[in-house]
Amino acid sequence: MYRYALQIEYDGSFYKGWQRQEEGVPSVQEFLETHLEILTKEKVTLHGSGRTDTGVHATAQVAHFDLKTPIAPYKIQRGLSFFGREKGISIIDISDVNHLFHSRFSARERQYHYIICNRFAPPVLRAGKCTHIITPLDFEKMAKACKKFEGTHDFTSFRDQACQGKTPVKTLDEFSLTKRGDFIVAKIRARSFLHHQVRIMMGTLIQIGHGKMKEESIDALFELKDRSKSGPTAPPHGLFLTGILFDQEVFKEPYREIF
Amino acid sequence: MYRYALQIEYDGSFYKGWQRQEEGVPSVQEFLETHLEILTKEKVTLHGSGRTDTGVHATAQVAHFDLKTPIAPYKIQRGLSFFGREKGISIIDISDVNHLFHSRFSARERQYHYIICNRFAPPVLRAGKCTHIITPLDFEKMAKACKKFEGTHDFTSFRDQACQGKTPVKTLDEFSLTKRGDFIVAKIRARSFLHHQVRIMMGTLIQIGHGKMKEESIDALFELKDRSKSGPTAPPHGLFLTGILFDQEVFKEPYREIF
């Protein structure tokens, strides 16, 4: 068996998320498995580092697969990028890895970015690649509040009610916000995330930026453990999975920023 | 007469350039004039700060127009942005200006950005918003060479043969290059530019980055005054008009960066 790891950029607006679903529903996994089969003549199963929801983008999703007969990695990269280039999928990097590597279980840290365009005018040059919020946001308040998410907490208030994660306790390595003109760019790093966690944290920060919730509400929400008390789930098209870090070096650059 | 200045973002891939052409050819000017007439019930002529070619984008083009009957600026901004939002046009800012203001003649400095994606994989998340170059570019050489363009020079070798500019002598206030992951971002500022000047300078820098021309070739090209000896005109979809500076303060932010 020969194992390969792909680093994948995709435009989430083309797909109903990462994960393969029933026949006829477009997903990134289905697209790549289908075209890997065309290229390799083998039935291939892709294992992603994590799922992304409908509409969520990626600059550096990672997935691995096994082949019985080896092929030069660059041929796979070239082939998939050719099929994908009009379908919003591009293979940024590829690596032949040993059989101990697993894109999900070997992942040490995952990174997301969330982009908000905060102005009256629609962001036509970043249409579908950011969340447009017309009402002015208090950036300073949000930048201060987001630091509350860093560290180890019970994130029950910040996960989808359908989340099947074993424990709601997660550790955030980083949650930082920067301002770039009319845009607010959030960067969030953790070993792993709960279902909708980033989008619910962003939705809560947006409430704080609008003065509808206070910075201290985050502490209270950690205590309350009640999803219905936190902010709404922020839209998917502002979210980007921007990299996975592994114990071993797999790609030239694990993280690929979007802004 | 009441004069208004618009600051306009547009996705150049929707249009055959800024300037109005014959009936049926889509241009940004034609789109805005048509919809200004719908909004104001007046026949309106828009005066842009400068033309952009087919496919060239803008984050902050400026244009002014006059009305006989005044309208609240926010109403014009709201109306045009509503019509334009699915058509790649957005009004970032609007200002009521005095009759001495002219978007072309009052302009003190214009700023462009040019974005190159230099890697094998197609840039699907920035598709149509950068120039994709697969062959590796020597960034350091390019960053050093671009400084040769700064200052006052005879740019005959760097203007389109059809250019009607009175003099080929122009002064560049800034030409700088930065690297952002696999992307190279050029920033160029000058009082005014010749036809295709930015794209021919970029095309020449790309030749230098590929080792097909030398840094000193730029000095030689200033002397030669021969368009056929410089690099090819770089593609339009990597180019962004990112702002105009005026003697007076017209908008909250004259420059709006894209990366």
Side-chain angles (χ1 to χ4, degrees), chain B residues 31-51:
Chain B
F31 182 92
L32 288 171
E33 284 177 352
T34 302
H35 290 89
L36 275 170
E37 201 174 324
I38 295 171
L39 287 168
T40 64
K41 322 280 181 221
E42 290 188 33
K43 188 91 194 154
V44 167
T45 303
L46 255 187
H47 301 270
S49 288
R51 305 172 188 177

Side-chain angles (χ1 to χ4, degrees), chain B residues 117-168:
Chain B
C117 175
N118 189 218
R119 67 181 188 198
F120 174 78
V124 291
L125 281 168
R126 286 184 181 272
K129 308 288 187 303
C130 63
T131 294
H132 184 209
I133 296 178
I134 292 179
T135 325
L137 290 164
D138 187 327
F139 171 77
E140 297 305 330
K141 268 191 191 158
M142 292 168 74
K144 211 170 149 230
C146 77
K147 291 294 162 193
K148 297 244 178 213
F149 289 122
E150 293 184 343
T152 305
H153 305 282
D154 183 321
F155 283 94
T156 301
S157 295
F158 302 97
R159 71 160 160 178
D160 193 88
Q161 272 141 340
C163 178
Q164 295 176 350
K166 269 178 232 139
T167 164

